[in-house]
Amino acid sequence: MDAYDTFELFTQLPSELRLKIWKHTFPEPRVVSVRFNRAASQYTSTEAPPSLAHVCSESRSLFLETYAKLILSPKYDSAVFLDFTRDTLFFDSLDCSPDGDLSLDLASSPHRDRILFCAIDSQLWEVLRVFRYDSLSEVRLMPSLKTVALVMSRDHERGLHQRTVDVDGHQSIFVDADTNTVGGEIRHVHWYIESLRWELKHGLEKHWTVNPPHVQMWLW
């Protein structure tokens, strides 16, 4: 191993300096998928926790000051850690809830007030609307939400293209397609987007701590 690959005197540095160095290892804001693993009977993610959680007790203490274990339904454990101030919670699978009802999980979650950024797979959104037609069923349960996105899976072979446009002073991501079939799918998701925006703008109930969340469409 090259001598420049290690710094054996790190533990002898002043604690204030060590903490500053640890903080520089924090990842950029993440999009963290959340699924319910029925075999393990807990919420899991395809996104591993930052390595800071496993280096040593000092780094883990700093990690736990910033990242919290996400609890949705309190009846089940979770292996998902979020920095609620920066990370996006991404429900990317039909297996997002032990009972198949995401709104039920959110209603009982002790962390629902802390969720600022949320993304939901467009196919999952469509299934959720079959059982709960109200497009705000899940969104209204996150009163601090700043951004909610409906997500289409990226598929270049189907001719999907992403573009950014200004909508009411906000940068929004839109998706276009080259084929009629995919174009129909995108128009369908756009309809969900516009319905959600309308509900957020014209709804009579006030659910938000500040302003209603901004609605986006993503390719992922």
Side-chain angles (χ1 to χ4, degrees):
M1 179 181 291
D2 193 293
Y4 294 104
D5 291 337
T6 61
F7 180 60
E8 297 179 355
L9 300 179
F10 179 78
T11 57
Q12 299 179 31
L13 294 174
S15 59
E16 296 85 355
L17 181 55
R18 292 200 308 270
L19 291 176
K20 287 183 178 180
I21 294 173
W22 285 127
K23 288 180 179 179
H24 277 290
T25 69
F26 277 20
E28 294 297 316
R30 304 173 303 152
V31 177
V32 182
S33 63
V34 178
R35 304 173 182 180
F36 185 75
N37 186 320
R38 299 187 184 281
S41 194
Q42 68 174 353
Y43 295 95
T44 60
S45 177
T46 56
E47 182 80 14
S51 58
L52 199 68
H54 309 294
V55 178
C56 65
S57 59
E58 183 177 67
S59 69
R60 183 168 179 81
S61 295
L62 185 61
F63 166 80
L64 292 174
E65 290 177 8
T66 305
Y67 292 84
K69 179 188 286 191
L70 172 69
I71 301 297
L72 290 173
S73 172
K75 296 186 296 183
Y76 299 96
D77 195 11
S78 172
V80 182
F81 285 85
L82 284 179
D83 177 354
F84 284 99
T85 64
R86 301 190 305 150
D87 292 342
T88 297
L89 177 61
F90 182 21
F91 297 104
D92 70 334
S93 168
L94 295 179
D95 287 326
C96 64
S97 166
D99 300 313
D101 189 342
L102 182 57
S103 62
L104 187 64
D105 291 359
L106 289 169
S108 61
S109 171
H111 287 155
R112 66 190 188 95
D113 291 345
R114 298 180 64 184
I115 300 171
L116 302 182
F117 311 102
C118 180
I120 302 176
D121 177 80
S122 60
Q123 293 183 353
L124 170 60
W125 181 267
E126 189 166 3
V127 172
L128 293 173
R129 298 288 66 79
V130 170
F131 296 99
R132 293 184 182 269
Y133 184 76
D134 180 2
S135 59
L136 295 182
S137 293
E138 296 79 29
V139 177
R140 67 160 55 92
L141 296 171
M142 297 176 278
S144 301
L145 200 61
K146 292 184 177 180
T147 300
V148 58
L150 297 190
V151 184
M152 288 189 69
S153 60
R154 184 183 294 274
D155 189 342
H156 294 290
E157 293 181 356
R158 297 194 304 164
L160 297 183
H161 304 287
Q162 186 168 284
R163 59 189 172 93
T164 302
V165 298
D166 186 83
V167 177
D168 297 331
H170 296 281
Q171 291 295 309
S172 293
I173 298 172
F174 286 86
V175 181
D176 298 314
D178 295 334
T179 65
N180 290 333
T181 301
V182 178
E185 295 177 21
I186 292 173
R187 285 191 294 272
H188 195 59
V189 177
H190 275 176
W191 182 84
Y192 281 130
I193 293 284
E194 293 306 318
S195 297
L196 183 54
R197 284 177 174 157
W198 191 94
E199 291 285 349
L200 289 170
K201 185 175 182 180
H202 299 285
L204 298 178
E205 301 175 67
K206 301 298 182 183
H207 305 285
W208 321 109
T209 54
V210 184
N211 296 313
H214 180 51
V215 184
Q216 298 180 340
M217 181 176 178
W218 292 358
L219 278 180
W220 194 256

